[in-house]
Amino acid sequence: NAGVMQNPRHLVRRRGQEARLRCSPMKGHSHVYWYRQLPEEGLKFMVYLQKENIIDESGMPKERFSAEFPKEGPSILRIQQVVRGDSAAYFCASSRPRGTQYFGPGTRLLVL
Amino acid sequence: DAKTTQPNSMESNEEEPVHLPCNHSTISGTDYIHWYRQLPSQGPEYVIHGLTSNVNNRMASLAIAEDRKSSTLILHRATLRDAAVYYCILRDVGGSQGNLIFGKGTKLSVKP
């Protein structure tokens, strides 16, 4: 039973480019959460999604960031026009309804 | 989610038990106590959770005070692989089942 999968594991972008981070939840999990961990800091919640719905995006920056979890396929966290401050580890977690969250290995984004 | 307080760091010797404390004096009746850990360069890993009674699993034990205002994660025999940051998190399962709020956690060092 595969765990939460994230790809790519490492992503390098130049300032102004777009970054797309993908997350495949565990089998049977319909809820996905995205968190960001800046260097030497703790994890901060970004967004909570169910299939085709954004439930809570209170932690998402107002501009350049968006997330989706389509009916088919992985959840996508999209960062447009990346800046150096976006360099961080981005973690995805998944759960069943009201269930324990299980995390993926993360995507480490480096913006040059 | 209510706030938790943990020591910034702790040290242990290999093969000795480790008791990691967590204070949560404002815990509500529907808050579960969750523990996660994060090994270097990895995503958070679920360890254990409980509501009122002490809990055991293959990774650890969770001892919950009778008044539920504090809890202790117990690693029975620490190994070098247990060196990680341990997070104690309260989660209201009666609520919207959204994000986890990560504090600074306790950085556990294990000496050979």
Side-chain angles (χ1 to χ4, degrees), chain B residues 21-86:
Chain B
C22 181
N23 288 321
H24 27 79
S25 57
T26 58
I27 191 171
S28 74
T30 52
D31 281 332
Y32 274 76
I33 302 156
H34 282 74
W35 284 83
Y36 284 80
R37 71 180 185 181
Q38 188 174 22
L39 279 66
S41 300
Q42 295 189 26
E45 178 185 24
Y46 167 77
V47 178
I48 200 167
H49 76 280
L51 184 63
T52 57
S53 303
N54 294 344
V55 185
N56 299 297
N57 66 20
R58 63 175 180 80
M59 289 181 71
S61 296
L62 177 60
I64 301 173
E66 202 168 323
D67 63 5
R68 301 210 324 126
K69 293 186 185 300
S70 65
S71 60
T72 302
L73 179 71
I74 302 166
L75 308 178
H76 295 286
R77 280 179 79 237
T79 68
L80 296 178
R81 197 193 169 279
D82 291 322
V85 179
Y86 287 77

Side-chain angles (χ1 to χ4, degrees), chain A residues 15-29:
Chain A
R15 281 179 296 168
Q17 291 184 320
E18 179 179 288
R20 280 184 178 241
L21 288 61
R22 285 175 289 279
C23 169
S24 296
M26 285 177 68
K27 188 176 180 181
H29 287 192

Side-chain angles (χ1 to χ4, degrees), chain A residues 11-72:
Chain A
L11 182 61
V12 180
R13 286 285 178 268
R14 297 194 180 279
R15 281 179 296 168
Q17 291 184 320
E18 179 179 288
R20 280 184 178 241
L21 288 61
R22 285 175 289 279
C23 169
S24 296
M26 285 177 68
K27 188 176 180 181
H29 287 192
S30 57
H31 296 221
V32 164
Y33 312 79
W34 285 93
Y35 295 81
R36 176 166 67 173
Q37 187 170 33
L38 295 168
E40 306 303 322
E41 293 190 15
L43 284 91
K44 302 293 184 188
F45 166 75
M46 300 181 74
V47 63
Y48 163 32
L49 310 102
Q50 295 177 24
K51 287 279 188 182
E52 300 184 285
N53 282 310
I54 296 174
I55 306 303
D56 179 358
E57 55 182 346
S58 59
M60 285 279 268
K62 294 286 183 274
E63 297 177 349
R64 302 187 296 109
F65 285 71
S66 62
E68 62 177 9
F69 188 16
K71 188 176 179 181
E72 302 291 338

Side-chain angles (χ1 to χ4, degrees), chain A residues 35 37 45 98-99 101 108, chain B residues 36 38 41 93 97 99-100:
Chain A
Y35 295 81
Q37 187 170 33
F45 166 75
R98 297 185 178 278
Q101 292 183 27
R108 279 148 186 85
Chain B
Y36 284 80
Q38 188 174 22
S41 300
V93 292
Q97 283 300 286
N99 56 297
L100 299 172

